[in-house]
Amino acid sequence: MAQRGIREWDAKRLIVDNIDFPLTHDMALIRPHSDIDEIRKEHSFLSGKLVAKPDMLVGKRGKHNLVLLNKDFDECVEWVKKKRSGPVRIGPAKGELTHFLIEPFVPHEQEYYVAIQAERDADVIFISDQGGVDVEANWDKVKEIRVPVDELLKEEQVLEVLKQPVIAKFAAALHKVFADLDFVYLEINPIVLVGDKVHMLDMVAKLDDTAAYRSKEKWDGVAFPAAFGSTTTPEERYINELDSKTGASLKLKVLNPEGRVWTMVAGGGASVVYADTIVDLGFGEEMANYGEYSGDPNQELTYEYAKTVLDLMTRHPGKPKVLLIGGGIANFTDVAKTFTGIIMALKDYREKLIENQVSIFVRRGGPNYKEGLERMEDTGKVLGVPVHVYGPETHMTRIISMALGG
Amino acid sequence: MNDYDLYDKNTQAIIYGSQVNAVQRMLDFDYLCGREKPSVAAIVNPNRESLVKVFFSQHEIMVPEYKSLEKAAAEHPEAHVMINFSSFRSAFATSKEALETDSIKVVVIIAEGIPERDTRKLIALAKKNGKTIVGPATVGGIKAGGFKIGNTAGKIDNIIASKLFRPGSVGVVSKSGGLSNEIYNIVALNADGINEGVAIGGDRWPGSDYLDHLLRYETNPDIKFMVALGEIGGRDEYEIIDAIKAKKITKPLIMWVSGTCAKMFSSGVQFGHAGAASGADEESAQAKNQALREAGVIVPNSFDDFGEKVKETYERLKAEGAIKEEELPSVPKFPVPLKEALSTGMVRKPTSFTCTISDDRGDEPVYAGYTISEILEKGWGIGDVISLLWFKRPLPEFATKFFELVIVVSADHGPAVSGAHNATVTARAGKDMVSALASGLLTIGPRFGGAINDAAIYFKEAVDRGLTAKEFVTEMKDKGINIPGIGHRVKSVQNPDKRVEILSDYAKKNFPSTEYLDFARKVEALTTEKRNNLILNVDGCIAVVFLDLLASGNVFSESESREIVKLGYLNGFFVVARSIGMIGHIMDQYRLKKGLYRHPTDDILYDVQKMD
């Protein structure tokens, strides 16, 4: 739960639907299974000159040759087909392009820049009459207006720094949408005027997804796509689903399915420290997953979480593997209780654990940790799986070097 | 209280939310620290107003629980901290109310998942009103030896192990609640323990941040050096660096920024905390660690050698004379909660009650070893349930069907009998159903219904002693006792009681032996010679057939049979059966809306002595 990027298509739709400003915006989203003929029938603007670009949280599309300008719809469809024919590398990320945004091509001269960024005590409005691809180079021309968190941007404030009444009116209306819909970041670059009509040509937006409980209706089915190149596996989706249904927290990211080092760490902070230490010790390439469970999850949840991890880690027998069941000294989580779910899962996977030559290292403190550790140790003996247990007297991350022979 | 403290040994808090466990943990800490007053003044629970019992030392005290913060604050103006356990949905409204309450100076917000805009509004409000927020998304903080927020630092064993019951020389700030507790332990293992620690919470916009607390620690003369754990994302560390450059922070600071592994992830990963996302390069853990190191902060090489840096710094300050090692005060002997001691097998406790018939502690109730699912699967009925709960064993079908037969024939005997009459009169007096039923049931005794048990006692004794029917009748006559179970007000030899026929026919047909019934019939033959209404009545018939049931097969031993008769089981059948009828009569009166009954005076002979 945090700040999440949304598609340009969703962002523009939300703004058009909610803004108190005369604004229309023609656009069509081509999804993986969209019927091209249906789309053609639905949108009359597609008979004109168009712009096409992928809509999947990819930045700097112009520089990566991912914007098609001033073409007709058939040419756009051809281009889209070509772009989605195989994996594409953008910066460090590699993935498939699946969603494309088609909009009218708008010839224009002056390009404006409007962005809003949520900061601790204010929403900061960045505004410039020298927008476009070179806005960063011209950053000294960008004006900054700080609007305290419980106030709204006024037209007059904009006019003081940029003498363009339409843009000023639009910016004020835009900030109201930003505040009402729990946006945390919004950047329109460029925004152009044709006569008095505003055109939002390119947009990046983020919503605060913790507001979902009260903004769901206003968001009207908005999607939170994963970052480009980061595909979600069914197991990750399953854990996401469990996470969304409980007050506790469950997270799982598979990094290298054939890695030797698997973790099941309690706590949002501790899990990062474990991952750091694995990388520091030179086992980054062998680190199979990142994940955490916290907030006192019940026995059923820890059982499901542990089963998912154990299933993933026992799919590729070969090199011996280690499982780090780590964590700090819990404040209030009953360690023995959360271990009960994990122990149930270990019993289910006994044969596979042996087949995969898994050894388990446990380090944990907190309420009833002694009982929890004893039960883990006993389980290891019963199952015939090597289990080594440590309490608060052992430094939290020491089990990593013990397990990996560092 | 000192300016640099948010709370101390005398601070009292209001807890928002029904969190008795957290309150108990705070009070346990209080006791270890030797606090005079408990650290919790009141609880706010929108659903209930009451007094909550918790232990303060060995003894229980009552903490008042109010329905509103307004009332709690009015009654306890000295409580200046509110610890808010409300959910992420309501935390904004309740925290806002607290920040607007004059007597509350510090608001701790536990909930995770509050929308950022709401948190930012709270931060603005706190700033305007000159108040401090700790959290959201935190477990809280702790002033060693003084005041502990909610569930911070867990249970007593950890508080003792991490030396949190008295102040040390180190100030700690971290985002993570779990890791803060870990660091308190590291500091206790490698130095003299913490003086104060705060977990500011994992959200993007903590209500108070690293610098706010480090600056407090800077002015606290008891804090000799500081430890902080940073996290990937955000720019807080650069604010700390600016403060060091401006000489606002001069005490030694050990800090490590976690998240150095992020370079392994090709696309952005959202770590466990909402604020922990890799953004710009300068927000990376490596960049921040490097910048801190350059600013003169003591930065370990990894989390692994955090403890060594703490030890080095502590030893250095001790050598310089800045820190004097003090002996740990003795810890009062802490009573183990009974529940905990029992669960670990440390103690044993005699029980006050015993139950040998049923067990409700499992997934479903168990009656004498049979779960209710099993009972239903077997198609057992009310007669079998009576067997299990009254006799602690399943009985053969001829017995359980007999129980059901007794219930059917005894369920009602019209409105005129004394039990139904009393129930009816009580119902008509406007009393509730249970009172009316009780009034009817209380009529059951030696003359109404209770004759069954007496009949069983006499007939059993007679048969067991080997008396003939004639000897028995004579003996009873000599003693001047009417034989219970013999005689009827209306029925007679010529006008037999149909119920008696049904019951004895059933016994004759289904029971292995009817020795007692046969004996009773012989007695009846003698008594009806004298008067034709001295027949075996329904009470007597139930009694003797029941005696035959006890003697049948090898289900009950002789001593069990005797005990069953003596304990009055037989009245139980009548009570169960007749309750059905009485409830019917009571409901009938309610349905008919019958008013209060008053007996006509012309039906009463008034024969009161007249005074001269």
Side-chain angles (χ1 to χ4, degrees):
Chain A
M1 302 275 274
Q3 302 191 348
R4 305 273 293 271
I6 59 172
R7 291 189 204 288
E8 187 169 351
W9 183 79
D10 268 329
K12 286 177 170 172
R13 188 171 64 86
L14 289 185
I15 289 170
V16 171
D17 289 351
N18 290 284
I19 198 166
D20 184 16
F21 183 87
L23 184 68
T24 55
H25 189 85
D26 288 326
M27 58 178 176
L29 183 68
I30 301 185
R31 298 179 165 92
H33 301 294
S34 293
D35 181 334
I36 297 295
D37 291 331
E38 283 291 315
I39 290 181
R40 193 195 302 270
K41 261 187 258 170
E42 202 182 315
H43 302 280
S44 57
F45 80 91
L46 294 174
S47 60
K49 288 296 181 188
L50 303 169
V51 177
K53 54 194 175 182
D55 187 4
M56 36 200 318
L57 315 187
V58 177
K60 304 206 167 52
R61 289 171 289 198
K63 285 185 179 150
H64 289 108
N65 205 19
L66 288 172
V67 184
L68 185 71
L69 289 171
N70 202 11
K71 299 289 180 195
D72 66 28
F73 188 54
D74 288 329
E75 287 170 302
C76 288
V77 170
E78 265 320 295
W79 182 80
V80 165
K81 275 187 186 157
K82 215 170 75 200
K83 288 290 173 199
R84 67 183 186 192
S85 62
V88 178
R89 182 169 283 280
I90 303 174
K94 195 175 151 197
E96 304 218 349
L97 295 171
T98 53
H99 290 66
F100 291 83
L101 185 65
I102 313 280
E103 294 174 311
F105 176 69
V106 183
H108 59 272
E109 283 167 11
Q110 170 117 46
E111 296 189 319
Y112 295 91
Y113 175 87
V114 177
I116 310 176
Q117 162 97 50
E119 288 188 2
R120 185 183 175 83
D121 50 2
D123 288 340
V124 187
I125 287 87
F126 298 94
I127 201 154
S128 168
D129 55 6
Q130 296 190 34
V133 285
D134 295 326
V135 71
E136 280 170 32
N138 293 319
W139 197 252
D140 54 331
K141 300 285 192 308
V142 175
K143 311 288 187 203
E144 223 180 282
I145 307 168
R146 297 184 74 84
V147 182
V149 67
D150 32 17
E151 293 176 22
L152 288 174
L153 178 68
K154 294 186 198 72
E155 270 175 77
E156 304 81 67
Q157 286 175 284
V158 183
L159 285 170
E160 278 171 30
V161 298
L162 188 116
K163 304 229 173 310
Q164 203 332 305
V166 179
I167 295 290
K169 192 164 190 262
F170 172 76
L174 184 69
H175 181 243
K176 187 168 187 320
V177 178
F178 183 90
D180 285 349
L181 268 66
D182 286 287
F183 277 92
V184 288
Y185 184 69
L186 192 55
E187 182 187 43
I188 313 178
N189 183 35
I191 175 167
V192 303
L193 288 176
V194 177
D196 267 356
K197 187 166 163 34
V198 169
H199 292 269
M200 307 176 290
L201 295 197
D202 203 88
M203 184 179 294
V204 176
K206 284 182 186 175
L207 292 175
D208 170 16
D209 77 349
T210 55
Y213 77 90
R214 63 164 192 228
S215 289
K216 219 169 195 161
E217 271 179 33
K218 289 190 243 169
W219 289 350
D220 187 24
V222 75
F224 293 106
F228 174 73
S230 77
T231 44
T232 346
T233 64
E235 292 80 15
E236 291 166 0
R237 271 197 298 278
Y238 177 61
I239 297 299
N240 265 339
E241 221 172 274
L242 292 181
D243 180 57
S244 65
K245 284 183 201 149
T246 156
S249 169
L250 300 169
K251 293 194 169 56
L252 176 66
K253 177 83 204 150
V254 178
L255 303 169
N256 173 11
E258 296 184 32
R260 289 210 303 121
V261 186
W262 292 79
T263 59
M264 201 142 59
V265 179
S271 59
V272 180
V273 171
Y274 271 84
D276 283 353
T277 309
I278 294 167
V279 174
D280 283 346
L281 290 172
F283 290 88
E285 299 296 332
E286 292 285 2
M287 183 160 66
N289 71 320
Y290 167 77
E292 64 113 0
Y293 64 96
S294 59
D296 209 0
N298 65 29
Q299 183 181 316
E300 197 191 330
L301 282 173
T302 42
Y303 173 59
E304 289 299 320
Y305 186 83
K307 265 200 316 189
T308 307
V309 173
L310 293 179
D311 199 74
L312 283 167
M313 83 174 289
T314 54
R315 286 182 192 175
H316 305 279
K319 289 177 285 184
K321 300 187 173 91
V322 297
L323 173 63
L324 303 168
I325 301 177
I329 303 170
N331 287 292
F332 58 93
T333 299
D334 186 322
V335 173
K337 234 190 234 166
T338 54
F339 277 5
T340 311
I342 298 177
I343 288 170
M344 280 163 59
L346 289 173
K347 287 182 178 162
D348 289 359
Y349 278 83
R350 173 179 183 228
E351 278 157 32
K352 286 193 156 185
L353 289 169
I354 293 170
E355 185 194 335
N356 281 268
Q357 306 173 66
V358 174
S359 41
I360 299 173
F361 287 76
V362 185
R363 193 280 186 181
R364 191 79 164 118
N368 295 332
Y369 80 92
K370 279 185 193 153
E371 194 189 333
L373 291 179
E374 267 169 34
R375 277 157 60 184
M376 275 286 184
E377 200 167 29
D378 291 348
T379 305
K381 280 181 198 144
V382 171
L383 298 184
V385 173
V387 174
H388 312 272
V389 302
Y390 304 90
E393 68 292 340
T394 302
H395 189 77
M396 186 176 86
T397 46
R398 198 70 77 209
I399 60 164
I400 303 170
S401 46
M402 290 177 182
L404 300 175
Chain B
M1 197 172 71
N2 296 306
D3 290 346
Y4 48 77
D5 278 331
L6 294 176
Y7 26 74
D8 67 10
K9 221 177 157 106
N10 299 309
T11 299
Q12 286 199 298
I14 294 172
I15 308 294
Y16 198 107
S18 180
Q19 291 279 335
V20 180
N21 286 342
V23 170
Q24 186 61 67
R25 287 173 184 175
M26 287 175 73
L27 265 56
D28 287 349
F29 171 81
D30 295 349
Y31 171 63
L32 271 191
C33 299
R35 274 184 63 125
E36 280 166 23
K37 267 187 303 183
S39 58
V40 177
I43 297 170
V44 180
N45 177 356
N47 302 319
R48 195 176 52 217
E49 193 159 287
S50 71
L51 292 164
V52 177
K53 275 205 299 184
V54 277
F55 281 100
F56 186 54
S57 76
Q58 301 266 20
H59 307 289
E60 285 178 296
I61 60 166
M62 312 250 259
V63 176
E65 188 179 47
Y66 303 95
K67 279 191 170 180
S68 71
L69 173 61
E70 193 185 348
K71 190 154 182 215
E75 298 283 338
H76 303 275
E78 74 290 351
H80 79 263
V81 174
M82 179 174 105
I83 302 172
N84 192 350
F85 280 98
S86 30
S87 77
F88 66 91
R89 287 167 196 271
S90 51
F92 174 70
T94 49
S95 300
K96 184 165 177 283
E97 189 187 356
L99 290 169
E100 285 167 343
T101 302
D102 284 341
S103 57
I104 304 289
K105 307 294 180 202
V106 177
V107 179
V108 183
I109 308 173
I110 306 296
E112 181 174 357
I114 300 174
E116 289 182 17
R117 184 159 287 272
D118 290 355
T119 304
R120 293 162 63 215
K121 284 181 184 167
L122 293 174
I123 292 171
L125 181 62
K127 194 173 172 191
K128 188 178 126 209
N129 293 352
K131 302 191 172 176
T132 303
I133 297 174
V134 175
T138 184
V139 70
I142 184 166
K143 180 85 185 157
F147 182 85
K148 173 177 114 85
I149 295 173
N151 292 313
T152 302
K155 296 204 301 187
I156 289 304
D157 51 350
N158 186 60
I159 286 164
I160 295 171
S162 292
K163 305 176 193 164
L164 297 168
F165 55 92
R166 92 314 164 235
S169 314
V170 185
V172 173
V173 197
S174 85
K175 284 210 166 200
S176 160
L179 281 183
S180 63
N181 202 23
E182 186 68 35
I183 295 173
Y184 305 158
N185 182 48
I186 292 175
V187 171
L189 289 173
N190 295 286
D192 64 351
I194 66 158
N195 180 282
E196 184 178 347
V198 176
I200 60 174
D203 273 2
R204 182 164 289 259
W205 309 116
S208 52
D209 55 31
Y210 289 98
L211 195 56
D212 293 322
H213 298 289
L214 292 177
L215 290 174
R216 287 196 301 109
Y217 297 165
E218 176 74 17
T219 50
N220 178 349
D222 297 329
I223 290 180
K224 307 298 182 190
F225 71 102
M226 307 188 275
V227 172
L229 184 68
E231 212 171 69
I232 182 173
R235 305 187 46 84
D236 294 346
E237 289 78 3
Y238 296 101
E239 288 180 18
I240 299 172
I241 291 169
D242 289 345
I244 293 171
K245 285 182 181 156
K247 306 263 183 258
K248 286 183 192 160
I249 293 179
T250 59
K251 291 179 181 173
L253 169 65
I254 305 168
M255 185 161 190
W256 169 249
V257 180
S258 73
T260 53
C261 63
K263 59 175 191 259
M264 294 305 298
F265 307 99
S266 52
S267 51
V269 161
Q270 177 65 54
F271 290 115
H273 292 152
S278 33
D281 284 349
E282 62 196 22
E283 293 186 17
S284 76
Q286 280 86 348
K288 294 202 280 192
N289 279 325
Q290 187 54 31
L292 287 166
R293 201 172 278 132
E294 283 164 11
V297 174
I298 304 163
V299 180
N301 293 319
S302 77
F303 191 85
D304 248 6
D305 59 356
F306 216 122
E308 284 161 41
K309 296 292 173 197
V310 171
K311 194 178 189 79
E312 276 169 30
T313 309
Y314 176 70
E315 296 298 340
R316 177 166 62 80
L317 291 172
K318 213 164 68 176
E320 287 169 6
I323 295 177
K324 285 179 191 60
E325 201 162 7
E326 280 172 31
E327 235 173 85
L328 280 180
S330 64
V331 184
K333 211 169 156 54
F334 196 84
V336 183
L338 186 60
K339 209 171 151 192
E340 204 174 292
L342 283 170
S343 79
T344 54
M346 280 167 65
V347 296
R348 58 190 186 188
K349 169 185 167 296
T351 49
S352 309
F353 286 90
T354 311
C355 170
T356 66
I357 62 166
S358 65
D359 192 340
D360 60 316
R361 294 169 301 174
D363 291 339
E364 56 175 324
V366 173
Y367 299 165
Y370 294 83
T371 65
I372 50 172
S373 313
E374 283 170 329
I375 291 168
L376 293 171
E377 266 165 37
K378 289 176 189 289
W380 283 355
I382 205 73
D384 300 280
V385 170
I386 289 176
S387 309
L388 295 174
L389 291 176
W390 291 11
F391 303 106
K392 305 205 295 180
R393 74 203 77 182
L395 291 175
E397 197 177 345
F398 75 83
T400 62
K401 288 282 174 251
F402 173 68
F403 296 160
E404 286 170 14
L405 200 56
V406 169
I407 289 172
V408 171
V409 301
S410 320
D412 190 46
H413 204 202
V417 296
S418 50
H421 178 77
N422 263 1
T424 301
V425 171
T426 312
R428 288 182 59 172
K431 297 287 287 187
D432 60 287
M433 190 270 278
V434 178
S435 304
L437 174 63
S439 150
L441 291 177
L442 291 174
T443 321
I444 295 172
R447 294 182 193 162
F448 176 63
I452 306 178
N453 218 65
D454 285 347
I457 291 170
Y458 284 110
F459 279 105
K460 181 164 173 54
E461 197 198 307
V463 174
D464 293 354
R465 277 168 54 211
L467 298 182
T468 63
K470 193 172 170 63
E471 284 165 347
F472 174 54
V473 173
T474 312
E475 195 177 298
M476 291 300 274
K477 194 182 170 203
D478 289 348
K479 285 185 187 161
I481 300 172
N482 291 328
I483 302 171
I486 293 289
H488 199 279
R489 204 169 277 268
V490 192
K491 301 286 177 186
S492 63
V493 180
Q494 292 76 24
N495 173 24
D497 188 337
K498 193 73 190 159
R499 299 174 299 174
V500 174
E501 283 180 29
I502 294 168
L503 290 168
S504 40
D505 285 354
Y506 177 84
K508 282 281 174 207
K509 210 153 123 202
N510 297 290
F511 276 42
S513 138
T514 52
E515 187 190 358
Y516 291 91
L517 176 59
D518 297 343
F519 179 78
R521 285 297 189 193
K522 283 179 195 151
V523 172
E524 182 188 36
L526 294 171
T527 51
T528 49
E529 277 172 14
K530 292 175 185 157
R531 250 200 356 250
N532 72 347
N533 70 338
L534 289 182
I535 52 168
L536 178 65
N537 64 28
V538 69
D539 294 349
C541 183
I542 292 172
V544 291
V545 176
F546 188 78
L547 293 174
D548 283 325
L549 186 153
L550 289 177
S552 293
N554 291 317
V555 185
F556 297 100
S557 71
E558 175 52 31
S559 67
E560 277 178 332
S561 300
R562 228 178 293 128
E563 190 183 30
I564 285 167
V565 172
K566 200 175 108 198
L567 291 179
Y569 271 83
L570 280 159
N571 283 349
F573 287 103
F574 188 75
V575 169
V576 168
R578 196 47 67 85
S579 292
I580 298 170
M582 286 185 196
I583 290 171
H585 286 292
I586 294 162
M587 292 301 163
D588 201 31
Q589 298 307 305
Y590 292 157
R591 243 184 345 246
L592 295 167
K593 303 196 168 42
K594 289 312 236 180
L596 179 68
Y597 174 78
R598 185 183 165 92
H599 201 71
T601 48
D602 65 4
D603 193 40
I604 300 167
L605 165 64
Y606 293 90
D607 181 22
V608 185
Q609 185 182 356
K610 289 196 176 64
M611 299 299 287
D612 293 330

